[in-house]
Every structure is written in C-alpha cells, then in structure tokens.
Amino acid sequence: MIIARDKELSALRDCLVSDRSEFVAVYGRRRVGKTFLIREAFDYTFTFQHAGIANGEKQVELQAFADALKDCGMDVDKTPANWMQAFQQLKALLRQAPEGKKIIFLDELSWMWTPGCDLVAAIESFWNGWASGRKDIVLVVCASATSWMMKNIIHAYGGLHNRLTHTIGLVPFSLKECEMYAEAFNLAFSRTQIIEAYMILGGVPYYWSLMNRSYSLPQNIDSLFFDREAPLRDEYRYLYASLFRNPDPYMRVIEALATKKMGMSREEILQHLGESTSGTLSGILEDLEHCGFIRSYRPFGKKKKGALYQLMDCFTLFHFKYIAPQPTDLRYWSHVYTTPICNNWRGLAFERVCLWHTQQIISALGISGLLTDVCSWQCQANEEENQDGAQIDLVIDRGDKQVDLCEMKFCEEEYEIDKKCAEGLSRKKAAFKASTKTRKGLRFTLVSPIGLKRNKYSGLINSVVTADQLFQ
C-alpha cells in the first residue's frame, strides 16, 4: 500500500500513455520511498531493471548489469568492457521486446558510477541517439545521492542538458501524511504523539514503517533505537555514507551545525572546522541543502550577506542528543520519556517540526496570498544599553507590512502565559524593534499543539496556530 504521493504517482503513470519516450529522474534522501514509489507506479513490471552496487568497482558494476540483462532473457556472451557497450546490449534487449511501452528502471544510479567511467556519456548516447527518437521508451533513473543526481543528470551540462521530461524530488512526509500512514497501519497515536514521533523520525516513511502497532510510542522508540537489535541504532553512519562517496567532510559539517541551534554562518563553520575546508565548503553546504539536511536562510533585515546554515534533519538531531552518547539501558526512552531533560528537548525539537511546516503556519494565518519571507532574528546582550540578548527562530515578514514573531511551544495542554513569560515577550518585541529599526507592525503568533489558555496576559498573542492547523 502506498500512502500519499498522488502527484508523483500520476506523473509516473502518465508516462505509460504518453505519445513520446520519457526520461524521468527521481531523487531524494535514503529511506524516503523512491524505489517503492516507482515499483508501485509501474505495478512491479519492467522491461529491464537494475540497481547499482554500493562501493562496487567498475568491473563489478558492469558484471552486475550484464547479469541483470541475462535475468531478462538476454544472451550476453561476455561482460561489457565499458558502459557504452553495456547500453548497446540494453538496446538489443529492448529491440527484442514486445510492442508497447518499454520501461527501464535504473536504481541507485550514482552507485553504478565510478571515477573516470563513461556511465553518464553512455546514458547521453542511449537517450539522445536512440531512445528519444522513439515513442515507446520510459527510462527512469533514481538515486539517493541527490547531489550527484543534480550535478550529473538533472542540472547536467553538455548532452543531457534539458533532456529530462520529468523530475521528481521525493521529500519526507508532512505531519498530515504521517497521520495518514498511522491510520492506514493502525498505529494508535494521537496528533500530539504523531508530532512527538516526527521530532525523532522526521517524515521518513521507512522509519515509520518499522513501528509496531502493538507498542506505545515510547516502546516503539526503544525498539527502534535502544534495543539489542535496534534497526536504527547505526542508521546515522549508513545515512550519510549512502549519499556521499566521501561522507566524512559532510559529517563534520553536520556535527558542527549540531552545536548551534539557530545555525552558523559560513565563517563560523570554517572556524569550527579549520581553514583546510575553505575550498570545498560551498559545495558541501549546497549538497547538504539539496538533500534536505540543512537549510540556508537570512536573518531578518539582512538583504544579501549574512546567510546562516541550520541543521534541520529531525533524525540527525535526535541521534546527537540521545544515540551518540550510547546509553546501555534497553528501555532508555521509556525511562526518560517524562523527565525534565526530555521535556526540554521536546521544546527545541518542536521548533524544528514547525520550521518544516512553515507553509501550514502561513496558511493558518490566512496570508497564503501575500508575499512572505521566512527568516529568523537574534541580538546579543548589550550591557551599556541594559538590553538582554534575545532570539526568535521563526519570523514571517509579510507583504502587508506586518511581521509575525512566532513563539513555538510544545505543550500537551493549553499553553499558559504567566507574568514572567509576558515580561519576556514584551522585552523581546522591544529588542526586535530597536535592533531592526523596522516600521512594520509587530505581532506575536503562538504555535502550540492545543492552543492558548485565556488569562490576563493572553492578549499579548495576536494569532494562535494549533496542531490541527499544522496537520492541514
């Protein structure tokens, strides 16, 4: 059963009734469901399918390709010496196929590539010189290595430039889609619990598929991460290794960003890592952003310079907080689930969930039709002016000359503003106005699962966004 993905399914199935040959690239992070989507879309029926071998040498990859041709009934008398020969053999197989659409599925394409090989040139020759001149070919290429796909296929220069007929970037599920998944597989979670699960697993379908409907949420987290045979205990290491041929520099950047909640500038990252990374850092940051692990954004009031890079992947953040210390308690999460340290983490993790759902927040505010800019803000303490430091993780700069200062608070009941909190909000608004010199109207928006408890301080909040609206 496939959950959501209606738009992507429709795009793939339209290829079967097209009056031309189709060249489709599907990309997205590990475990997001790319292979499953493609198999479901074509009902597991392919004229030819092959998956690259992780870390395979060139001859190993070519031998595996030849074996896949044999599995499809091709008489391959010898292993091709290069990819040009391999795709010539593939053309021979396709010429023998019955009339109708011939679907070729090349999975983990980046694994098929080895330094110096002619794979991309062979695909270029296959498509431009043969397949595009027919009406019956559907070539689907797929890879988790998003940066490789971007550089070599999707944004390629040369013969593959603008040759794709469809590009499908598969992103993690939203909260709404996770709820659909939970309902389909009878996971007895409330919306608040789904948000908590999202704080840990993000919207990665494979991670959700590992949960046991007989378990509570804490029991499931223990089973996935802390049990003796926990399937996700070592996932962090495999995750980045599957995406990047040399994962170490990427992981060092991720580890640096994990130390600072609001993110770091390029200069701060270099200071953390050392100047030896300077020449490659821009490419690393671009690759990590393509893969959805980080976001780049500008602080409020910064027009061009001053971009910050922030770690956004919920699973990675949970790894650093709770998995990397290697607790030995097999029921660790069940034991810390209700402790203050875990409650503090929930508050920080909920902010990331909200940042993944900024469009839902904008929609809930009724400003989808306005030009909006999503950013953040922080200021340092200034003793001379008797001003405290402050920060706001989500600022929505609106086209109607209003600015939403978003307070994101995870609470299992209505959030209550007390006197201390009210004073803090007032100081924060004053500091924002003083440091940014903005003339726009400033509004406080509370994002909290259950909403706001009415009292004498609640009038400080102009708008409230609840879990129900995040699930839209």
Side-chain angles (χ1 to χ4, degrees), residues 357-377:
H357 291 80
T358 54
Q359 291 307 308
Q360 285 83 352
I361 293 172
I362 289 170
S363 178
L365 293 172
I367 55 174
S368 296
L370 291 177
L371 180 66
T372 56
D373 186 18
V374 174
C375 48
S376 70
W377 166 82

Side-chain angles (χ1 to χ4, degrees), residues 274-302:
E275 290 297 323
S276 61
T277 315
S278 178
T280 59
L281 182 59
S282 295
I284 291 172
L285 292 170
E286 182 180 343
D287 290 347
L288 288 171
E289 189 164 9
H290 276 317
C291 294
F293 291 110
I294 69 173
R295 69 163 182 153
S296 63
Y297 68 97
R298 62 172 187 82
F300 183 87
K302 301 289 186 180

Side-chain angles (χ1 to χ4, degrees), residues 43-57:
D43 198 25
Y44 293 76
T45 303
F46 303 99
T47 308
F48 176 75
Q49 62 177 319
H50 172 66
I53 299 172
N55 302 315
E57 298 294 333

Side-chain angles (χ1 to χ4, degrees), residues 3 27-28 36 40 59 97 109 162 165 175 192 233 248 285-286 301 355 357 382 397 419 436 447:
I3 306 298
Y27 66 94
F36 183 63
E40 286 285 316
Q59 207 53 36
L109 184 69
N162 283 339
T165 58
L175 283 170
T192 301
R233 181 186 290 273
D248 288 347
L285 292 170
E286 182 180 343
L355 291 174
H357 291 80
N382 189 326
D397 190 4
K419 181 180 178 181
T436 64
V447 186

Side-chain angles (χ1 to χ4, degrees), residues 59 73 108 113 128 138 258 308 314 378 439:
Q59 207 53 36
E108 295 299 356
W113 179 86
N128 293 342
V138 179
L308 296 179
C314 295
Q378 63 178 332
R439 295 181 180 179

